[in-house]
Structure formats: C-alpha cells, structure tokens
Amino acid sequence: MYLSTRIDKALFPTAALFFVYFLVMVWVNNSYAYFLHEYMGAAQKNVDFEFVSYLAILAAYCSFLCSSKIRTPGDLVVVLLILVLVPHALVLNGANSFAPEASPFSGVPLAVLLGVSLVGLSNKIHFYERDSGEDGRRYIVLLASINIAVLIFIVLKSLGHFSLDFSGQYIRRALARDVFAAGSPSGYIASIGTQAFFPVLFAWGVYKKSSFYFFLGLLNVLVLWGAFGQKYPFFVLVLIYLLMMYFRRHGQIKTAWLLFFAIGFLLLGVVEHEITDYSYINDYFVRRAFVVPSSLLGVADLFASNNVNNGYSDTLIGVLLGSERSDPLSFQMGVSIFNNPDLNANVNFLAISYLQLKYLGVLFEASFVGGVVVLLNYLYACRGSFLAIPVALLFATKILEQSLPTVMLGSGVSFMLLFLVLIAAPPQRRATGSPQQ
C-alpha cells in the first residue's frame, strides 16, 4: 500500500475539459432545460465574472481529485461522483426558488464539497498489484441462480399489474409500493435480488462476452420495468455496457473521454431543441439527471434551515439509539416543502447525511464511503477481483440519489461487498514490478 502524491501530467487538460463541462451545463440549464422543471422550482443560474472564475478553480480541483484514467474501482466511484454531484451542488447551486442564495461554502453544497473531497482523497491510497488465479467465475453461477429465483418471485407476485406499457408506468409504481412495501421481506428480496445483482451479472456478460449473463441483465431490467415501472435500470444498463466494452478493449477508461461524451450529450440536446423546438434529451435526461437533483438540493437546504438535525431517526441506527422511528427524510421534505406526503424527494447521500447530523454526519458517511473505495481497490489490485468494478459502479450510482443506510441495506450493496470478500482468492505471489500509477 502507498499514497499517490504524483501530479498527473493530464491535470491541466482535464481541468480545461471540466471547465467547459461546467460552462456548458450552466448554459444548457439557463437556455434550454430549467423551464422544463420550473413548475417544481427550477430556475436560471446567475452568471458573472466571479462565478466563472470560481468554476475555473472548481474545475482544477475536480481534475486533482480525479485520475486522468479510470484504472481501479475507486477511480470509477470518484469520477462518477464528480461528474454528477458537483454539477448538482456546486455548479447549479442556487438555480432554484427554494435556496436561490445557496453558497458553495455553506449548507448542503459545502457538505457535498467536503464529502466528495474526502472520498477523492481516500482514492489516493493505492496498492501494489498481485496476481490471482481466481476470477470468481464459479460464484457468479450461484449469484445468477439466486437472481433467476427472485425474478420468478417478482413476476408471480406482480401478475395483477405487470405490464411493459409505457403509459402505465406510474400506476405500476403506485401498485408496487403496496405489493412490495418498503421494509417488508418481499420488498427487500425484490430490491436486493435484482438491483444489487443485475449490474454485476450484466457487466460480467459484457466483459466476458457471455450471452447468458448479458441477456439475464436485460431480463432483469424488463422485469423491473414491468413490475415497478422503473426507468432508472435502463440508464444503468447503457452505462455499464459502454464502460465495460471500453474497459475490456483498453483495460482503462480515460476521464477525458467521459467528459467529451457528457459535453457532447448536452450539446446534442441543444441541437435537437433548435431543430425541432423541443428536446427529448433535455426533458428525459438533462432535466432528470441535473435540473431535478439540483432543485431538490435547494429543497434540502431550505429544509435544513427550518429543522433540527434528524439524528438518523428514520433509520435502524436511530431506533437502536433510542429515537422514535420517523418517516424517511425524503418524504419529510415532500410534506414540509411541497405539502405532498406521497412525494419522495430523493437526494444524494451527502445531502441526507447533512440533514441527519450536519457536518459530523457528512464526515462519518464520507469516511465510510472512502473506506469502501479503499476496500474495492484492495480487492481489485491484490486479489484480482474483476467483480469489484461493477460493484463499484453499482455503489456509485446508488449513492448519487439515496441515503447511505438505504444503499447499504435496502439496495444490497452490503451483500455484494460481503460476496466479494468471500470469493476473493488469496494472492498467489507478490508482484516485483513498480507500483501501479
């Protein structure tokens, strides 16, 4: 194990791309996207010389935290956190009617800045590579068997409303909340047995060129759509496919290519809007991935200013500490700000940790995530566990919009981490070469 202190030569080119990414994000929000969610509080972002200078500094800092190439599971987690959470909290902060004066140096934005920094610095801990003779192939069969059994269970239990129809997705979501109630055994079985498993199984199928696991991943997404009306797994599937294909061919992914893709995708929405006077890309992707989360962080900031710390009272942790079990924070915000008890205002794990215990909660949860990053890097480098890559992707995509306790327990990430630790083969021999850079 060693601490990487080397300054990457690609730091400045990557910083320049981050700067362009942030500027394009603000321009797209102000010109093409914010009005799509204005009815729920989205607004334009004020732009002046001071803000542009701040974006330049932020871009350089993000480039420092990121690796120029994604080589390890930790690199993947950090890059995704920065590509998604930083625009939400530190670029589009204040672009809403709930906390229009939000500063990146206070409240929820500062919580995100501190949390992402801690996770990014944890990823600077590297390990010497060692060879291993086991890739987990035998254990994937067990994982697939459990997954198939859960899929059958979900289909049988949801036969009354199961459908692939697009227009009925929200009806299926409402019905699924009753059939697979949160906190119930059936809810945990359905969530862990699919959402924790299919990213790993699908990634294995893409990377190992296995048609069985590839189509099993597709089947999971269709079942989740038919039973729960969930669109999110489709996005995860596409992301896994692109990342694993590139990773399989090149053994690493350049951060610059992800930035080029993100910038190009934003500009494609602009072109579509200019040609057709409406953009599905802006409405279904840019709005959902950036504008809505940014607005909800404004909701979280407003909620935090009007309420005392939640103290994890909506989790098992709070119950064990003697607190009376409260409604989930995301629903508390729906009631408090929107006066809608059915509105689930999901925000990222750092914002939730701030609402739970202010910056102490951020320190605790970001340190935990940093520990998971170190563990995944260790299993990947020292135990040859390729499965650490899709588990890292699963972990990162979940904490982008859920609380950490929910991700670790309800989404099955704890199960997958335990699975990785149990199947990781002992190193056969130490590598004698230079440290991995």
Side-chain angles (χ1 to χ4, degrees), residues 2 8 19 77 90 92 112 137 139 178 184 206 246 297 345:
Y2 64 98
D8 199 317
F19 183 57
V77 172
L90 300 169
L92 295 179
V112 173
R137 189 181 302 270
Y139 302 96
D178 295 327
S184 67
V206 174
Y246 200 89
L297 287 185

Side-chain angles (χ1 to χ4, degrees), residues 81 159 190 290 343 367:
L81 288 183
L159 280 178
F290 297 102
L343 195 151
S367 297

Side-chain angles (χ1 to χ4, degrees), residues 2 127 136 161 180 206 285 325 377 382 389 415:
Y2 64 98
F127 295 90
H161 68 269
F180 302 94
V206 174
F285 295 99
R325 188 68 176 261
N377 285 345
C382 300
I389 294 287
F415 177 87

Side-chain angles (χ1 to χ4, degrees), residues 76-260:
L76 183 58
V77 172
V78 173
V79 168
L80 285 178
L81 288 183
I82 292 177
L83 279 176
V84 179
L85 291 195
V86 168
H88 293 174
L90 300 169
V91 176
L92 295 179
N93 58 293
N96 58 80
S97 60
F98 307 105
E101 303 299 325
S103 165
F105 308 111
S106 65
V108 171
L110 179 58
V112 173
L113 177 61
L114 293 175
V116 170
S117 298
L118 189 51
V119 176
L121 293 174
S122 298
N123 191 49
K124 299 297 182 182
I125 300 174
H126 290 187
F127 295 90
Y128 295 96
E129 285 191 350
R130 301 174 183 176
D131 291 334
S132 175
E134 177 66 73
D135 61 3
R137 189 181 302 270
R138 294 179 301 168
Y139 302 96
I140 279 288
V141 176
L142 173 61
L143 207 64
S145 301
I146 298 173
N147 176 247
I148 292 171
V150 171
L151 290 179
I152 294 173
F153 168 77
I154 291 174
V155 171
L156 292 177
K157 200 167 177 62
S158 62
L159 280 178
H161 68 269
F162 191 96
S163 171
L164 300 179
D165 178 57
F166 183 82
S167 62
Q169 58 179 300
Y170 296 107
I171 297 176
R172 296 200 298 276
R173 288 186 193 180
L175 293 173
R177 290 193 189 104
D178 295 327
V179 177
F180 302 94
S184 67
S186 61
Y188 279 119
I189 290 172
S191 178
I192 296 174
T194 54
Q195 296 190 53
F197 287 17
F198 92 80
V200 176
L201 294 169
F202 184 73
W204 180 273
V206 174
Y207 192 81
K208 298 292 184 178
K209 298 182 180 180
S210 169
S211 298
F212 174 78
Y213 292 107
F214 179 88
F215 286 107
L216 182 57
L218 291 177
L219 180 62
N220 272 262
V221 172
L222 290 176
V223 170
L224 288 171
W225 170 251
F228 298 92
Q230 293 182 0
K231 298 190 294 285
Y232 165 77
F234 287 99
F235 167 75
V236 174
L237 206 70
V238 173
L239 181 61
I240 291 173
Y241 180 80
L242 294 175
L243 289 175
M244 289 299 104
M245 283 292 291
Y246 200 89
F247 206 88
R248 188 182 73 197
R249 293 180 180 180
H250 303 284
Q252 58 189 18
I253 302 170
K254 291 183 178 180
T255 303
W257 284 115
L258 294 180
L259 285 166
F260 275 125

